[in-house]
Amino acid sequence: MSETKESIQVKAYLKPTCGWSNGVRAVLRKYSLPYEDIDILSNPVAYMEMVKKSHQRLSPCVEINGVMLADVSGEEVESYLLQEGLVERVESSDNTPTNQGCPSH
């Protein structure tokens, strides 16, 4: 692993209560990664920034060191982090689902 956790820059464009968003949060907690949790529902400017960067309107979107992962689950974020060697696999007692959709409203 070439980077320290503190040097990994993460901006997570999330909804406050969405299952997909909570899965992303669970993965970032699992690896103790500091991240900016950006609420796209209450902040239309942040939502438009996400759309501009990701080229689509679905969330969650997670930007890691300048690379945008668009419309991803927590499982996909974890896979990317491991594949890129940004983290080493750890076990977690957190039972938050990392691949669960948002409830329909």
Side-chain angles (χ1 to χ4, degrees):
M1 207 163 58
S2 60
E3 296 189 59
T4 64
K5 290 180 182 180
E6 292 76 27
S7 70
I8 299 171
Q9 300 295 310
V10 180
K11 290 179 79 172
Y13 297 87
L14 306 170
K15 294 178 182 174
T17 60
C18 172
W20 300 115
S21 293
N22 288 336
V24 167
R25 287 183 187 97
V27 167
L28 296 172
R29 277 192 314 268
K30 177 179 178 178
Y31 291 98
S32 301
L33 293 173
Y35 67 99
E36 185 179 353
D37 188 326
I38 302 167
D39 179 352
I40 61 166
L41 289 183
S42 67
N43 186 340
V45 173
Y47 174 76
M48 292 312 298
E49 177 181 294
M50 179 197 81
V51 170
K52 183 177 178 181
K53 288 181 172 185
S54 69
H55 305 286
Q56 54 85 50
R57 298 183 173 277
L58 301 175
S59 70
C61 290
V62 181
E63 185 177 12
I64 303 172
N65 292 345
V67 175
M68 180 60 82
L69 308 176
D71 187 23
V72 292
S73 68
E75 287 179 0
E76 291 167 315
V77 171
E78 183 173 31
S79 178
Y80 175 82
L81 291 167
L82 291 166
Q83 175 185 322
E84 295 298 313
L86 298 172
V87 297
E88 293 179 16
R89 185 173 297 280
V90 297
E91 296 302 317
S92 172
S93 59
D94 185 342
N95 293 323
T96 303
T98 58
N99 194 18
Q100 180 176 314
C102 302
S104 57
H105 298 287

